[in-house]
């Protein structure tokens, strides 16, 4: 029996396109809007690090994790501008203790959130090496699938925008935990399964535990809860998507040789 082609699961955000840049610009916009509303300037030398400290504190405490309501970020950052630290501000925002602020009215909060969400809807640019990497993968006979914890429709629209739709056999919405990767490995039991992603704790560690080969393209954004040791779990640390695909092609060839 001939060997089946290698299956490659590709994370979407910050692996195919630069979602981090979209969030960076949106978060800096939100900070500027809150500063304008409160007439209090951020004194931190790194404005992005300042607002992301409050964002991550909320994500760690809220049951929806990174999908917490953005109104909470407005309230937390507002409190941060008046001197509260990320831990205290996020706790008070989630508990509803900052909702009666005299600095920013609820109407102003809703307006700021609307502009923030509009900024988040901006189209992310395709990352370096993706277009040529996808072509190389298909030429080598690899089977490509997109995995996402976001909306499938959004990822499909971006694939179409960048003329990549025909190169991917499917877009899967899946929770990135070991049980989900176990199902993929079982489904493609006769194939090697490789996972390419940018977050070691979400893309690499659970996939590796399920028996997948893994390639990490480190994101510029590193959450505070991410451990340095998680990077070591990946079979290959890639500089960009083309480098990741080159490793996959070599691994596919080596597996084919062993199967003879």
């Amino acid at each position: 029996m001939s060997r089946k082609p290698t299956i490659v699961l590709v994370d979407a955000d910050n692996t195919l396109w630069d979602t981090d840049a979209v969030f960076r610009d949106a978060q800096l916009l939100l900070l500027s809007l809150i500063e304008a509303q409160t007439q209090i300037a951020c004194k931190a030398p790194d404005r992005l690090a300042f607002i992301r400290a409050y964002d991550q504190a909320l994500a760690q405490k809220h049951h929806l994790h990174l999908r917490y309501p953005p109104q909470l970020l407005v309230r937390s950052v507002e409190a941060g501008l008046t001197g509260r630290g990320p831990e205290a501000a996020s706790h008070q925002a989630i508990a509803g203790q900052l909702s009666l602020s005299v600095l920013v009215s609820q109407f102003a909060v809703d307006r700021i959130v609307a502009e923030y969400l509009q900024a988040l809807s901006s189209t992310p640019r395709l990352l370096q090496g993706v277009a040529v990497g996808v072509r190389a993968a298909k030429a080598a006979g690899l089977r490509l699938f997109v995995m996402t914890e976001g909306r499938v429709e959004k990822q499909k629209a971006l694939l179409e925008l960048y003329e990549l739709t025909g190169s991917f056999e499917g877009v899967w919405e899946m929770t990135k935990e070991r049980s989900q990767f176990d199902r993929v490995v079982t489904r493609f039991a006769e194939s090697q399964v490789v996972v390419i992603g940018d977050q070691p704790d979400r893309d690499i560690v659970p996939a590796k535990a399920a028996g997948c080969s893994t390639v990490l393209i480190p994101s510029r954004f590193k959450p505070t809860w991410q451990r340095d040791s998680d990077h070591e779990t990946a079979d290959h640390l890639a500089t960009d998507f083309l480098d990741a695909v080159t490793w996959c092609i070599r691994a596919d060839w080596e597996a084919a040789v062993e199967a003879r």
Side-chain angles (χ1 to χ4, degrees), residues 34-47:
I34 298 173
E35 287 176 315
Q37 185 67 34
T38 61
Q39 294 298 300
I40 301 174
C42 173
K43 298 178 181 178
D46 188 334
R47 294 170 60 81

Side-chain angles (χ1 to χ4, degrees), residues 222-238:
K222 180 183 176 183
T224 54
W225 55 80
Q226 196 175 96
R227 299 176 301 181
D228 290 337
S229 60
D230 289 342
H231 284 70
E232 301 170 4
T233 305
D235 293 293
H236 179 62
L237 196 64

